[in-house]
Amino acid sequence: MKQPNWMTHTEQYADALFGMVGNILTAYISRLAPFVVPLAPAFFFAHSIYGQVLTMTSDQRLALTLAGISALGLEIVGIMAAHRAVEFYSKGETGKAKTAVVITTIYLLIGIGGILLFENTDFNAKVTGVVMFIIAGMVYLLLGLTEESRKAEREAAATQEQEEERLAEKLAWERQLELEKMRLDHELKLKRLETKKAVSKTVSPTVAGTVMATDWRKLNEEQRLSMASYSTEQIVNLYGVSDRTAERWQSRSRKLSATVQNNGSAK
């Protein structure tokens, strides 16, 4: 059973709405992830630093300070490296993007190594910290792949837009040529009409009042002789014959005129 139009329109509207919301959320997460993801690994790294300093100095205030500075520094490196890697790649600056990726890798290695090597951190904390750093690396990789996909879509859209513009220009040019051809054809028709009228005015009343024949044998002597002074186009417009026939009649008329001038009469 076919669905009513309002149901189809509602489904299409809902699908478009959910798609829009999904795209907004994905864009929001992609922008926010490089700043949020390093927080969890930084916490476990700070915990390891805190335990190590506290073991060495027994000064809790100093341990907290150094742990906070270390976590802040690690987080700044992680945020900037991952964020810049995605940004440079989206702009097509491959060299800078590779450098940022290397720094991000070093950040991950330092974080994981610090958690694993510090003895004051228990096994569960080490495992959790390593997992957080691995998750951060996975997120950064997904961000890079997402940006690569978006870049490909932008390039495809730009290519399609250029193709559409080129096609539009081609159609406009062809339309202009067609209009120019129509204008020239119209001018040619008007010129032929004016030529035909001009020829009709030069024909004597007797000839103009005679029904013009398309057979040389049916033409009277005056018509045959007058063709010697006409152009081929004038003969075509006046008698409605082809160009080849007009040329043949013109040649015969000139020969006939020469004969008349020599003999004094047409034969």
Side-chain angles (χ1 to χ4, degrees), residues 2-58:
K2 187 177 180 180
Q3 292 182 345
N5 290 334
W6 68 268
M7 293 182 63
T8 303
H9 293 162
T10 302
E11 290 179 357
Q12 294 175 352
Y13 175 79
D15 185 67
L17 179 61
F18 286 122
M20 179 188 68
V21 173
N23 291 334
I24 293 174
L25 291 176
T26 301
Y28 180 77
I29 292 173
S30 298
R31 296 298 181 184
L32 189 62
F35 300 97
V36 176
V37 169
L39 293 177
F43 168 79
F44 287 95
F45 184 79
H47 183 270
S48 298
I49 295 294
Y50 170 80
Q52 187 67 23
V53 175
L54 186 62
T55 302
M56 294 173 58
T57 63
S58 299

Side-chain angles (χ1 to χ4, degrees), residues 54-217:
L54 186 62
T55 302
M56 294 173 58
T57 63
S58 299
D59 189 339
Q60 188 175 9
R61 184 175 300 178
L62 178 61
L64 287 173
T65 302
L66 292 178
I69 294 174
S70 301
L72 181 62
L74 184 67
E75 185 176 354
I76 290 175
V77 171
I79 290 175
M80 292 187 63
H83 185 71
R84 295 304 179 188
V86 174
E87 180 181 356
F88 289 145
Y89 191 84
S90 64
K91 294 180 179 179
E93 300 178 3
T94 308
K96 294 181 180 180
K98 290 181 179 180
T99 303
V101 169
V102 171
I103 295 175
T104 305
T105 303
I106 295 174
Y107 148 78
L108 293 174
L109 292 177
I110 291 175
I112 294 175
I115 293 175
L116 292 177
L117 296 177
F118 290 155
E119 297 180 355
N120 61 293
T121 306
D122 60 24
F123 179 77
N124 292 334
K126 289 182 178 181
V127 171
T128 305
V130 171
V131 169
M132 290 296 100
F133 272 100
I134 293 175
I135 291 175
M138 295 170 60
V139 171
Y140 296 151
L141 178 61
L142 289 175
L143 289 175
L145 294 176
T146 302
E147 192 60 38
E148 180 180 3
S149 177
R150 290 177 179 175
K151 181 180 178 182
E153 290 178 357
R154 289 194 296 267
E155 291 177 352
T159 302
Q160 183 178 0
E161 184 178 356
Q162 293 177 357
E163 183 65 21
E164 291 176 354
E165 291 179 356
R166 188 190 65 81
L167 181 59
E169 292 177 356
K170 181 181 178 182
L171 293 176
W173 175 250
E174 292 178 351
R175 178 60 178 170
Q176 185 67 26
L177 291 178
E178 184 68 20
L179 293 175
E180 185 67 17
K181 182 180 178 182
M182 293 173 61
R183 185 184 67 81
L184 293 176
D185 290 343
H186 181 66
E187 291 180 354
L188 182 60
K189 290 180 180 179
L190 291 178
K191 185 177 180 181
R192 287 182 176 178
L193 182 61
E194 292 174 357
T195 303
K196 185 174 181 179
K197 291 180 179 179
V199 171
S200 300
K201 291 180 181 179
T202 60
V203 180
S204 62
T206 303
V207 177
T210 306
V211 177
M212 300 304 174
T214 57
D215 190 341
W216 174 266
R217 295 171 296 181

